[in-house]
Amino acid sequence: MVFVRTTPPRPVAVTAVFPELASLARPAIRLHPRPGSPSVRESSVGGPLLWPAEEPWPHCESSHLHFDSGFRQSPAIVRLERRMQARWHPDSGDFELTPEEEALKERSAARLAERLAASPPPAECPVPMLPVAQLYLRDIPLLRPPGQADLLQILWCPYDHEPDNKPSTALFWRSAAAVVDILATPPEPYEANYPGYVPEPCVLAPESITEYPDSLDLSPEMRLMVEDRSRWQAAGVGVDSAYGDYPRDFYDCELADAPGWKVGGWPPWGRTDPYRRYCTVCDVQMVPLLTIASFEWDGDEGRSWAPCEDQAAAYAAHYAGQHPSQPTGVEVGSTDNMQLYVCPTSPEHPHTDLIQ
């Protein structure tokens, strides 16, 4: 069975109201991650990587002690507790761990206790990075890899880092065909700074869409244009009553850029005004590569972006650990987005990131 997710049609055709925005349309690919068991030969979020056995696994060499949150759980225990939480229901009462889960909990606790008693402490040692996403060009044709590469792998260190208190990220481009011997058991960090820095393994249902810029990315003249109710009325479009006298909010929330994990498209501003990123090598303005999202959709208005296949679940009652808008378990910032940017002239130039 093919896994598919489909974004509902937008309530209004943007260019029917504002033909001036047609030239600003950008392609994007919503990834639609959902919990699953991806293989190394599949695109995924939080899944196993097609990593060469002869290539060292990336480690973060920074000191992490000054960002100690007091959270002391291994990635394995974070995922175990999520599974336990997902089984909980107010009508089901208590439940017991399976023998396999009990054994995992005991092994992880013993391993962590051993490391905490060691010198130096785990946070001071090089920290193995965690897989965040693996994207094959065949699934995500918007990728622009260097040379013969057809695979992008993204990892991060599950600790906060200065100056913006966010995970440190690493990008690797490679040719999948060149990987013969695969690393069977990659190292994992002894602990994570926060549970939200441990992605849940997810399969993907890539979907191509067209996006338009957030109003903060528009020129002052165009911004006034989307705020002008008479323009909407002249096009015979009634702005959703939930937005009252604020058609600009209707444009931003319902028409401009999609929420959730995506490749390409426009940045989801809001936490700050637009903050241009420039390549440290050639000084060209960088472009969005990947949005790592805390939510696939958020709030009552944002639910209109929930895929057609998830609409019933989006509007149903949910319990702790079971909300379908957080399939990856990832939370960055204050339930914000982390955007990765790359140089459009050379993807091998250093990337940058931004919490938004």
Side-chain angles (χ1 to χ4, degrees):
M1 181 178 178
V2 178
F3 171 44
V4 174
R5 286 295 182 270
T6 312
T7 300
R10 294 299 81 208
V12 174
V14 173
T15 54
V17 185
F18 306 108
E20 298 93 332
L21 298 182
S23 63
L24 299 179
R26 278 186 187 176
I29 296 181
R30 298 187 76 184
L31 299 182
H32 297 304
R34 298 294 184 271
S37 301
S39 75
V40 296
R41 298 289 179 181
E42 294 177 292
S43 295
S44 65
V45 163
L49 302 185
L50 186 75
W51 196 269
E54 69 277 6
E55 184 175 327
W57 188 261
H59 286 62
C60 180
E61 302 289 340
S62 301
S63 172
H64 306 89
L65 289 177
H66 54 295
F67 280 119
D68 187 359
S69 66
F71 181 79
R72 297 288 186 191
Q73 285 186 346
S74 69
I77 293 300
V78 170
R79 297 185 184 111
L80 171 60
E81 293 193 346
R82 285 179 183 151
R83 293 198 297 271
M84 294 166 55
Q85 194 175 40
R87 296 206 300 267
W88 181 87
H89 189 279
D91 299 328
S92 65
D94 295 333
F95 57 85
E96 295 182 354
L97 295 177
T98 66
E100 294 78 10
E101 290 172 341
E102 284 282 11
L104 172 63
K105 194 168 185 178
E106 290 176 5
R107 286 197 308 271
S108 297
R111 183 168 177 257
L112 184 56
E114 177 183 346
R115 289 302 301 142
L116 290 175
S119 180
E124 191 65 17
C125 299
V127 174
M129 303 186 92
L130 276 174
V132 174
Q134 174 167 270
L135 305 175
Y136 282 89
L137 181 62
R138 64 173 185 262
D139 301 321
I140 317 293
L142 278 185
L143 296 175
R144 295 293 180 265
Q148 299 301 308
D150 60 357
L151 176 61
L152 171 63
Q153 296 169 324
I154 300 167
L155 303 92
W156 68 19
C157 173
Y159 280 85
D160 281 325
H161 292 74
E162 293 180 329
D164 299 315
N165 297 357
K166 62 180 183 291
S168 175
T169 55
L171 270 61
F172 296 86
W173 297 96
R174 69 175 76 253
S175 168
V179 182
V180 179
D181 296 321
I182 303 169
L183 182 64
T185 309
E188 277 205 333
Y190 297 106
E191 61 192 38
N193 202 177
Y194 296 107
Y197 293 169
V198 181
E200 202 66 21
C202 289
V203 295
L204 306 182
E207 178 198 17
S208 297
I209 62 169
T210 299
E211 291 192 338
Y212 296 90
D214 185 284
S215 63
L216 292 173
D217 260 322
L218 297 176
S219 67
E221 295 77 18
M222 285 188 171
R223 204 173 303 149
L224 289 173
M225 180 181 70
V226 299
E227 292 174 346
D228 185 357
R229 289 187 65 87
S230 66
R231 283 292 300 266
W232 298 87
Q233 293 166 349
V237 173
V239 174
D240 190 307
S241 60
Y243 295 92
D245 294 325
Y246 301 98
R248 175 177 162 183
D249 290 347
F250 177 62
Y251 168 81
D252 282 336
C253 295
E254 305 290 349
L255 308 179
D257 55 285
W261 289 66
K262 65 183 180 182
V263 169
W266 283 92
W269 303 116
R271 174 68 61 181
T272 68
D273 287 342
Y275 183 38
R276 312 302 176 203
R277 317 294 279 174
Y278 294 91
C279 179
T280 57
V281 175
C282 62
D283 205 37
V284 70
Q285 184 172 324
M286 305 181 88
V287 296
L289 170 67
L290 174 68
T291 298
I292 298 170
S294 297
F295 289 93
E296 288 297 287
W297 61 87
D298 191 15
D300 292 338
E301 296 86 0
R303 283 188 295 195
S304 78
W305 288 99
C308 298
E309 297 82 358
D310 292 325
Q311 284 285 312
Y315 285 89
H318 298 284
Y319 306 101
Q322 294 178 287
H323 202 289
S325 68
Q326 288 188 295
T328 66
V330 167
E331 287 193 11
V332 290
S334 300
T335 61
D336 297 316
N337 302 294
M338 174 183 277
Q339 302 161 268
L340 303 186
Y341 288 81
V342 290
C343 174
T345 60
S346 177
E348 293 178 302
H349 288 174
H351 76 286
T352 189
D353 53 51
L354 177 67
I355 292 288
Q356 186 56 231

